[in-house]
Structures are given as structure tokens and as C-alpha cells.
Coordinates of all heavy atoms in Angstrom, one line a residue:
K1 N -91.1 -36.6 138.0 CA -92.2 -37.5 138.2 C -91.7 -38.9 137.8 O -91.3 -39.1 136.7 CB -93.4 -37.1 137.4 CG -94.6 -37.9 137.7 CD -95.8 -37.2 136.9 CE -97.0 -38.0 137.2 NZ -98.2 -37.5 136.5
P2 N -91.7 -39.9 138.7 CA -91.2 -41.3 138.4 C -92.2 -41.9 137.4 O -93.4 -41.8 137.5 CB -91.2 -42.0 139.7 CG -92.1 -41.2 140.6 CD -92.1 -39.8 140.1
R3 N -91.6 -42.7 136.5 CA -92.4 -43.4 135.5 C -92.8 -44.8 136.0 O -92.0 -45.4 136.7 CB -91.6 -43.6 134.2 CG -91.2 -42.3 133.5 CD -90.5 -42.5 132.3 NE -91.5 -43.0 131.3 CZ -91.1 -43.3 130.0 NH1 -89.9 -43.2 129.7 NH2 -92.0 -43.8 129.2
R4 N -93.9 -45.2 135.8 CA -94.4 -46.5 136.2 C -93.9 -47.6 135.3 O -94.1 -47.5 134.1 CB -95.9 -46.4 136.3 CG -96.5 -47.7 136.9 CD -98.0 -47.5 137.2 NE -98.7 -48.8 137.1 CZ -99.6 -49.1 136.2 NH1 -100.1 -48.2 135.4 NH2 -100.1 -50.3 136.2
M5 N -93.3 -48.6 135.8 CA -92.8 -49.7 135.0 C -93.9 -50.8 134.9 O -94.5 -51.2 135.9 CB -91.6 -50.3 135.6 CG -90.3 -49.5 135.5 SD -89.6 -49.6 133.9 CE -89.0 -51.2 133.9
V6 N -94.2 -51.2 133.7 CA -95.2 -52.3 133.5 C -94.4 -53.5 132.9 O -93.8 -53.3 131.8 CB -96.3 -51.8 132.6 CG1 -97.3 -53.0 132.3 CG2 -97.0 -50.6 133.2
M7 N -94.4 -54.6 133.5 CA -93.8 -55.8 133.0 C -94.7 -56.5 132.1 O -95.8 -56.9 132.5 CB -93.3 -56.7 134.1 CG -92.3 -56.0 135.0 SD -90.7 -55.6 134.2 CE -90.1 -57.3 134.0
V8 N -94.3 -56.8 130.9 CA -95.2 -57.5 129.9 C -94.4 -58.8 129.5 O -93.3 -58.7 129.0 CB -95.5 -56.7 128.7 CG1 -96.4 -57.5 127.7 CG2 -96.3 -55.4 129.1
R9 N -95.0 -59.9 129.7 CA -94.4 -61.2 129.3 C -94.7 -61.5 127.9 O -95.9 -61.5 127.6 CB -94.8 -62.3 130.3 CG -94.1 -63.6 130.1 CD -94.5 -64.6 131.1 NE -94.4 -65.9 130.5 CZ -95.4 -66.8 130.7 NH1 -96.4 -66.5 131.4 NH2 -95.3 -67.9 130.1
A10 N -93.8 -61.7 127.0 CA -94.0 -62.0 125.6 C -94.7 -63.4 125.5 O -94.2 -64.4 126.1 CB -92.8 -62.0 124.8
Q11 N -95.8 -63.4 124.8 CA -96.5 -64.7 124.6 C -97.4 -64.5 123.4 O -97.6 -63.4 122.9 CB -97.4 -65.1 125.8 CG -98.4 -64.0 126.2 CD -99.2 -64.4 127.4 OE1 -99.5 -65.6 127.6 NE2 -99.4 -63.5 128.3
A12 N -97.8 -65.6 122.8 CA -98.6 -65.6 121.6 C -100.0 -65.0 121.9 O -100.5 -65.3 122.9 CB -98.7 -67.1 121.1
I13 N -100.5 -64.3 120.9 CA -101.8 -63.7 121.0 C -102.8 -64.8 120.4 O -103.9 -65.0 121.0 CB -101.9 -62.5 120.1 CG1 -101.1 -61.3 120.7 CG2 -103.4 -62.1 119.9 CD1 -101.0 -60.1 119.8
N14 N -102.3 -65.5 119.4 CA -103.2 -66.4 118.7 C -103.0 -67.8 119.2 O -102.0 -68.4 119.0 CB -102.9 -66.4 117.2 CG -103.7 -67.4 116.4 OD1 -104.6 -68.0 116.9 ND2 -103.3 -67.5 115.2
P15 N -104.0 -68.4 119.9 CA -103.9 -69.7 120.5 C -104.0 -70.8 119.5 O -103.4 -71.9 119.7 CB -105.0 -69.8 121.6 CG -106.0 -68.8 121.1 CD -105.3 -67.7 120.3
D16 N -104.9 -70.7 118.5 CA -105.2 -71.9 117.6 C -105.7 -71.6 116.2 O -106.1 -72.5 115.5 CB -106.1 -72.8 118.3 CG -107.5 -72.2 118.7 OD1 -107.7 -71.0 118.2 OD2 -108.3 -72.8 119.4
I17 N -105.7 -70.4 115.8 CA -106.2 -70.1 114.4 C -105.1 -70.2 113.4 O -104.1 -69.5 113.4 CB -106.9 -68.7 114.4 CG1 -108.0 -68.6 115.4 CG2 -107.3 -68.3 113.0 CD1 -108.6 -67.3 115.6
K18 N -105.3 -71.1 112.4 CA -104.4 -71.2 111.3 C -102.9 -71.3 111.7 O -102.0 -70.7 111.1 CB -104.5 -70.1 110.3 CG -105.9 -69.9 109.7 CD -106.0 -68.8 108.7 CE -107.4 -68.6 108.2 NZ -107.5 -67.4 107.3
K19 N -102.7 -72.1 112.7 CA -101.3 -72.2 113.3 C -100.3 -72.9 112.3 O -99.1 -72.9 112.5 CB -101.3 -72.9 114.6 CG -101.9 -72.1 115.8 CD -101.1 -70.7 115.8 CE -100.6 -70.4 117.2 NZ -100.0 -69.1 117.3
D20 N -100.9 -73.6 111.3 CA -100.0 -74.2 110.3 C -99.4 -73.2 109.3 O -98.6 -73.5 108.5 CB -100.7 -75.3 109.6 CG -102.0 -74.8 108.9 OD1 -102.7 -73.9 109.5 OD2 -102.4 -75.3 107.8
E21 N -99.9 -71.9 109.3 CA -99.5 -70.9 108.4 C -98.4 -70.0 109.1 O -98.5 -69.8 110.4 CB -100.6 -70.0 108.0 CG -101.7 -70.8 107.2 CD -102.8 -69.9 106.7 OE1 -102.7 -68.6 106.8 OE2 -103.8 -70.5 106.2
A22 N -97.5 -69.5 108.4 CA -96.4 -68.6 108.9 C -97.0 -67.3 109.5 O -96.5 -66.8 110.5 CB -95.3 -68.3 107.9
K23 N -98.0 -66.8 108.8 CA -98.7 -65.6 109.3 C -100.1 -65.6 108.8 O -100.4 -65.9 107.7 CB -97.9 -64.4 108.6 CG -98.5 -63.0 108.9 CD -97.6 -61.9 108.4 CE -97.4 -62.0 106.9 NZ -96.6 -60.8 106.4
V24 N -101.0 -65.2 109.7 CA -102.4 -65.2 109.4 C -102.8 -63.8 108.9 O -102.6 -62.8 109.6 CB -103.3 -65.5 110.6 CG1 -104.8 -65.4 110.2 CG2 -103.0 -66.9 111.1
V25 N -103.1 -63.7 107.6 CA -103.5 -62.4 107.0 C -104.9 -62.6 106.3 O -105.1 -63.5 105.5 CB -102.5 -61.9 105.9 CG1 -103.0 -60.6 105.3 CG2 -101.2 -61.7 106.6
D26 N -105.9 -61.8 106.6 CA -107.2 -61.8 106.0 C -107.5 -60.6 105.2 O -107.0 -59.5 105.6 CB -108.3 -62.0 107.1 CG -108.1 -63.3 107.9 OD1 -108.0 -64.3 107.2 OD2 -108.2 -63.2 109.1
S27 N -108.3 -60.7 104.2 CA -108.6 -59.5 103.3 C -110.1 -59.4 103.3 O -110.8 -60.4 103.2 CB -108.0 -59.7 101.9 OG -106.6 -59.8 102.0
V28 N -110.6 -58.1 103.2 CA -112.0 -57.8 103.0 C -112.1 -56.8 101.8 O -111.4 -55.8 101.8 CB -112.6 -57.2 104.2 CG1 -114.0 -56.8 104.0 CG2 -112.5 -58.1 105.4
L29 N -112.8 -57.2 100.8 CA -113.0 -56.3 99.6 C -114.1 -55.3 100.0 O -115.2 -55.7 100.4 CB -113.4 -57.1 98.4 CG -112.3 -58.0 97.8 CD1 -112.8 -58.7 96.6 CD2 -111.0 -57.1 97.5
V30 N -113.9 -54.0 99.8 CA -114.9 -53.0 100.0 C -114.9 -52.0 98.8 O -113.9 -51.9 98.1 CB -114.6 -52.2 101.3 CG1 -114.7 -53.0 102.5 CG2 -113.2 -51.6 101.3
T31 N -116.0 -51.4 98.6 CA -116.1 -50.6 97.4 C -115.6 -49.2 97.5 O -115.2 -48.6 96.6 CB -117.6 -50.5 96.9 OG1 -118.4 -50.1 98.0 CG2 -118.1 -51.9 96.5
E32 N -115.7 -48.6 98.7 CA -115.3 -47.2 98.9 C -114.1 -47.1 99.9 O -114.3 -47.2 101.1 CB -116.5 -46.4 99.5 CG -117.7 -46.2 98.5 CD -117.3 -45.5 97.2 OE1 -116.5 -44.5 97.3 OE2 -117.8 -45.8 96.2
L33 N -113.0 -46.9 99.4 CA -111.8 -46.7 100.2 C -111.0 -45.5 99.5 O -110.9 -45.4 98.3 CB -110.9 -47.9 100.2 CG -111.3 -49.1 101.1 CD1 -110.4 -50.3 100.9 CD2 -111.4 -48.7 102.5
S34 N -110.3 -44.7 100.3 CA -109.6 -43.6 99.8 C -108.2 -44.1 99.2 O -107.7 -43.5 98.3 CB -109.4 -42.5 100.9 OG -108.7 -43.1 102.0
K35 N -107.7 -45.2 99.8 CA -106.4 -45.7 99.3 C -106.6 -47.1 98.7 O -107.5 -47.8 99.2 CB -105.4 -45.8 100.5 CG -105.1 -44.4 101.0 CD -103.9 -44.4 102.0 CE -104.3 -45.1 103.3 NZ -103.2 -45.1 104.3
P36 N -105.7 -47.6 97.8 CA -105.9 -48.9 97.3 C -105.7 -50.0 98.3 O -106.3 -51.1 98.1 CB -104.8 -49.0 96.2 CG -104.1 -47.7 96.2 CD -104.7 -46.8 97.3
L37 N -104.9 -49.8 99.3 CA -104.7 -50.9 100.3 C -104.5 -50.2 101.7 O -103.7 -49.3 101.8 CB -103.5 -51.7 99.9 CG -103.0 -52.8 100.9 CD1 -104.1 -53.9 100.9 CD2 -101.7 -53.3 100.5
T38 N -105.2 -50.7 102.7 CA -105.1 -50.3 104.0 C -104.9 -51.5 104.9 O -105.7 -52.4 104.9 CB -106.3 -49.4 104.5 OG1 -106.5 -48.3 103.6 CG2 -106.0 -48.8 105.9
A39 N -103.9 -51.5 105.7 CA -103.6 -52.6 106.6 C -104.0 -52.2 108.1 O -103.5 -51.3 108.6 CB -102.2 -53.1 106.6
Y40 N -104.9 -53.0 108.7 CA -105.3 -52.8 110.1 C -104.6 -53.8 111.0 O -104.6 -55.0 110.7 CB -106.8 -52.9 110.2 CG -107.5 -51.7 109.6 CD1 -107.8 -51.6 108.3 CD2 -107.8 -50.6 110.5 CE1 -108.4 -50.4 107.8 CE2 -108.3 -49.4 110.0 CZ -108.7 -49.4 108.6 OH -109.3 -48.2 108.1
C41 N -104.1 -53.3 112.1 CA -103.4 -54.1 113.1 C -104.3 -55.1 113.8 O -105.4 -54.7 114.2 CB -102.7 -53.2 114.1 SG -101.8 -54.0 115.4
R42 N -103.8 -56.3 114.0 CA -104.5 -57.3 114.8 C -103.6 -57.9 115.9 O -103.9 -58.8 116.5 CB -105.0 -58.4 113.9 CG -106.1 -58.0 113.0 CD -106.8 -59.1 112.3 NE -105.8 -59.9 111.5 CZ -106.2 -60.9 110.8 NH1 -107.4 -61.4 110.8 NH2 -105.3 -61.6 110.1
C43 N -102.3 -57.3 116.0 CA -101.4 -57.8 117.0 C -101.4 -56.9 118.2 O -100.8 -57.2 119.2 CB -100.0 -57.9 116.5 SG -99.1 -56.4 116.3
W44 N -102.0 -55.7 118.2 CA -102.1 -54.8 119.3 C -100.8 -54.2 119.7 O -100.6 -53.7 120.8 CB -102.8 -55.4 120.5 CG -104.2 -55.8 120.1 CD1 -104.6 -57.0 119.6 CD2 -105.4 -55.1 120.2 NE1 -105.9 -57.1 119.4 CE2 -106.5 -55.9 119.8 CE3 -105.7 -53.7 120.6 CZ2 -107.8 -55.4 119.7 CZ3 -107.0 -53.3 120.6 CH2 -108.0 -54.1 120.1
R45 N -99.8 -54.2 118.7 CA -98.5 -53.6 119.1 C -98.1 -52.5 118.1 O -97.0 -52.0 118.3 CB -97.5 -54.7 119.0 CG -97.5 -55.6 120.3 CD -97.0 -56.9 120.1 NE -97.0 -57.6 121.4 CZ -98.1 -58.2 121.9 NH1 -99.2 -58.2 121.2 NH2 -98.1 -58.8 123.1
S46 N -98.9 -52.1 117.2 CA -98.6 -51.1 116.3 C -98.5 -49.7 117.0 O -99.3 -49.3 117.8 CB -99.7 -51.0 115.2 OG -99.4 -49.9 114.3
G47 N -97.5 -48.9 116.5 CA -97.3 -47.6 117.0 C -98.3 -46.6 116.4 O -98.4 -45.5 116.8
I48 N -99.0 -47.1 115.4 CA -100.0 -46.2 114.7 C -101.4 -46.9 114.7 O -102.2 -46.8 113.8 CB -99.6 -45.9 113.3 CG1 -99.4 -47.1 112.4 CG2 -98.4 -44.9 113.3 CD1 -99.2 -46.9 110.9
F49 N -101.6 -47.7 115.8 CA -102.9 -48.5 115.9 C -104.1 -47.5 115.7 O -104.1 -46.4 116.2 CB -103.0 -49.1 117.3 CG -104.0 -50.1 117.4 CD1 -103.7 -51.5 117.1 CD2 -105.3 -49.8 117.8 CE1 -104.7 -52.4 117.2 CE2 -106.3 -50.8 117.9 CZ -106.0 -52.1 117.6
P50 N -105.1 -47.9 114.9 CA -105.4 -49.3 114.5 C -104.8 -49.7 113.2 O -105.0 -50.8 112.7 CB -107.0 -49.2 114.3 CG -107.2 -47.8 113.9 CD -106.2 -47.0 114.6
L51 N -103.9 -48.9 112.6 CA -103.3 -49.3 111.4 C -102.0 -50.1 111.7 O -101.4 -49.9 112.8 CB -102.9 -48.0 110.6 CG -104.0 -47.1 110.1 CD1 -103.5 -45.9 109.4 CD2 -105.0 -47.9 109.3
C52 N -101.6 -51.0 110.8 CA -100.4 -51.8 111.0 C -99.2 -51.0 110.6 O -99.2 -50.3 109.6 CB -100.6 -53.0 110.0 SG -99.1 -54.0 109.9
D53 N -98.1 -51.1 111.4 CA -96.9 -50.5 111.1 C -95.7 -51.5 110.9 O -94.6 -51.2 110.9 CB -96.5 -49.4 112.1 CG -96.1 -50.1 113.5 OD1 -96.3 -51.3 113.7 OD2 -95.7 -49.3 114.4
G54 N -96.1 -52.8 110.9 CA -95.2 -53.9 110.7 C -94.6 -54.4 112.0 O -93.8 -55.4 112.0
S55 N -95.1 -53.9 113.2 CA -94.7 -54.4 114.5 C -95.0 -55.9 114.7 O -94.3 -56.5 115.6 CB -95.3 -53.6 115.6 OG -94.9 -52.2 115.5
H56 N -95.9 -56.5 114.0 CA -96.2 -57.9 114.1 C -95.0 -58.8 113.8 O -94.9 -59.9 114.3 CB -97.4 -58.3 113.3 CG -97.2 -58.0 111.8 ND1 -97.6 -56.9 111.2 CD2 -96.7 -58.8 110.9 CE1 -97.3 -56.9 109.9 NE2 -96.7 -58.1 109.7
V57 N -94.1 -58.3 112.9 CA -93.0 -59.1 112.6 C -92.1 -59.4 113.8 O -91.7 -60.5 114.1 CB -92.2 -58.4 111.4 CG1 -90.9 -59.2 111.1 CG2 -93.0 -58.2 110.2
K58 N -91.8 -58.3 114.5 CA -91.0 -58.5 115.8 C -91.7 -59.3 116.8 O -91.1 -60.2 117.4 CB -90.7 -57.1 116.4 CG -89.9 -57.1 117.6 CD -89.6 -55.6 118.0 CE -88.7 -55.6 119.3 NZ -89.5 -55.5 120.5
H59 N -93.0 -59.1 117.0 CA -93.8 -59.9 117.9 C -93.7 -61.4 117.5 O -93.5 -62.2 118.4 CB -95.3 -59.4 117.9 CG -96.2 -60.4 118.6 ND1 -96.3 -60.5 119.9 CD2 -97.1 -61.3 118.1 CE1 -97.1 -61.5 120.2 NE2 -97.6 -61.9 119.1
N60 N -93.9 -61.7 116.2 CA -93.9 -63.1 115.8 C -92.6 -63.7 116.0 O -92.5 -64.9 116.4 CB -94.3 -63.2 114.3 CG -95.8 -62.9 114.0 OD1 -96.6 -62.9 115.0 ND2 -96.1 -62.7 112.8
K61 N -91.5 -63.0 115.8 CA -90.1 -63.5 116.0 C -89.9 -63.8 117.5 O -89.3 -64.8 117.8 CB -89.1 -62.5 115.5 CG -88.9 -62.6 114.0 CD -87.7 -61.7 113.6 CE -87.6 -61.7 112.1 NZ -86.7 -60.6 111.6
E62 N -90.3 -62.9 118.3 CA -90.1 -63.1 119.8 C -90.9 -64.1 120.4 O -90.5 -64.7 121.4 CB -90.4 -61.7 120.5 CG -89.4 -60.7 120.2 CD -89.7 -59.3 120.8 OE1 -90.9 -59.2 121.3 OE2 -88.9 -58.4 120.7
T63 N -92.1 -64.4 119.8 CA -93.1 -65.3 120.5 C -93.4 -66.6 119.8 O -93.9 -67.5 120.3 CB -94.4 -64.6 120.7 OG1 -95.0 -64.3 119.5 CG2 -94.2 -63.3 121.5
G64 N -93.0 -66.7 118.5 CA -93.4 -67.8 117.7 C -94.8 -67.7 117.2 O -95.4 -68.7 116.7
D65 N -95.4 -66.6 117.4 CA -96.8 -66.4 117.0 C -96.9 -66.2 115.5 O -95.8 -66.1 114.8 CB -97.4 -65.1 117.7 CG -98.9 -65.2 118.0 OD1 -99.5 -66.1 117.4 OD2 -99.4 -64.4 118.8
N66 N -98.1 -66.1 114.9 CA -98.2 -65.9 113.5 C -99.2 -64.8 113.1 O -99.9 -65.0 112.1 CB -98.6 -67.2 112.8 CG -99.9 -67.7 113.3 OD1 -100.5 -67.2 114.2 ND2 -100.5 -68.7 112.6
V67 N -99.4 -63.8 113.9 CA -100.4 -62.8 113.6 C -99.9 -61.9 112.5 O -98.8 -61.6 112.3 CB -100.7 -62.0 114.9 CG1 -101.4 -62.9 115.9 CG2 -99.5 -61.3 115.5
G68 N -100.9 -61.3 111.8 CA -100.7 -60.4 110.7 C -101.9 -59.5 110.6 O -102.9 -59.6 111.3
P69 N -101.8 -58.5 109.7 CA -102.8 -57.4 109.6 C -104.0 -57.9 108.8 O -104.0 -58.9 108.1 CB -102.1 -56.3 108.8 CG -101.1 -57.0 108.0 CD -100.6 -58.2 108.8
L70 N -105.1 -57.1 109.0 CA -106.3 -57.2 108.2 C -106.1 -56.3 107.0 O -105.9 -55.1 107.3 CB -107.6 -56.9 108.9 CG -108.9 -56.7 108.1 CD1 -109.3 -58.1 107.6 CD2 -110.0 -56.1 109.0
L71 N -106.1 -56.8 105.8 CA -105.9 -55.9 104.6 C -107.2 -55.5 104.0 O -108.0 -56.4 103.6 CB -105.0 -56.6 103.6 CG -103.7 -57.1 104.1 CD1 -103.0 -57.9 102.9 CD2 -102.8 -55.9 104.6
L72 N -107.5 -54.2 103.8 CA -108.7 -53.7 103.1 C -108.2 -53.3 101.8 O -107.3 -52.4 101.7 CB -109.3 -52.6 103.9 CG -110.0 -52.9 105.2 CD1 -110.7 -51.7 105.8 CD2 -110.8 -54.1 105.1
K73 N -108.7 -53.9 100.7 CA -108.3 -53.6 99.3 C -109.4 -52.9 98.5 O -110.5 -53.4 98.5 CB -107.8 -54.9 98.6 CG -106.7 -55.6 99.3 CD -106.4 -56.9 98.6 CE -105.3 -57.6 99.2 NZ -105.0 -59.0 98.6
K74 N -109.0 -51.8 97.9 CA -110.0 -51.1 97.0 C -110.2 -51.9 95.7 O -109.2 -52.3 95.1 CB -109.5 -49.7 96.7 CG -110.5 -48.9 96.0 CD -109.9 -47.4 95.9 CE -111.0 -46.5 95.3 NZ -110.5 -45.1 95.3
Q75 N -111.5 -52.1 95.3 CA -111.8 -52.9 94.1 C -111.6 -52.0 92.9 O -111.8 -50.8 92.9 CB -113.2 -53.4 94.1 CG -113.4 -54.7 94.7 CD -114.8 -55.2 94.6 OE1 -115.7 -54.5 94.9 NE2 -114.9 -56.4 94.1
Ligands
LIG101 FE1 -100.0 -55.3 114.3 FE2 -99.0 -55.4 111.8 S1 -98.4 -54.1 113.5 S2 -100.6 -56.5 112.7

């Protein structure tokens, strides 16, 4: 069975939020979490989406973008 090729052009996801920062990372404090720290993907490229697997680093290098994960930290 032939595989369908999808061409994706690398481009920035973030058009204008905190562009003066190397990487945009936001945190939300919550009271009930099973782990001390959980990172959620916001670049849409993680192999374990919705969790972050660090794929944003490659995306940022390729595109000049500055996206990073949402970090949930246990209090
Ligand atoms: Fe998407 Fe880290 S892999 S934000």
C-alpha cells in the first residue's frame, strides 16, 4: 500500500507573543497533581502529545521560533 506524502513547510507557530524571549514557557500552579512537574506541548510536534518530549527545541532551531511547553508544577 503506497504511503501518502504530506509536504510541510517549516514556519514559526508563534507570530508575536514574547518574541523578545528565547523561548516562551508559562507555568500554572495546581494543588492536585500526581507528579511534581508535568510539561504540556504547545508546539504540536511532540511524539507523546499532549505532553512535551523536547521536540520544540528542533522546531525552534529550524524556524527561529520560540515556543516552549506549559509547565504544571505541584505545590
Ligand atoms: Fe512541543 Fe515541547 S515538544 S512544547
Side-chain angles (χ1 to χ4, degrees):
K1 187 174 180 179
R3 298 182 72 184
R4 187 169 150 238
M5 288 283 288
V6 177
M7 297 297 287
V8 177
R9 189 173 146 227
Q11 59 183 319
I13 291 172
N14 176 10
D16 58 7
I17 298 170
K18 299 180 183 177
K19 286 306 231 185
D20 56 327
E21 297 181 13
K23 177 172 61 178
V24 178
V25 178
D26 297 312
S27 298
V28 177
L29 294 177
V30 293
T31 55
E32 296 295 326
L33 285 175
S34 59
K35 295 191 289 185
L37 178 67
T38 304
Y40 284 88
C41 177
R42 294 189 299 179
C43 75
W44 298 89
R45 282 158 177 78
S46 174
I48 57 169
F49 195 88
L51 300 178
C52 171
D53 68 355
S55 295
H56 59 268
V57 175
K58 181 174 181 271
H59 166 77
N60 287 346
K61 280 185 184 167
E62 290 175 350
T63 64
D65 210 346
N66 65 346
V67 295
L70 171 68
L71 303 178
L72 296 186
K73 299 176 180 177
K74 189 172 185 175
Q75 270 187 311

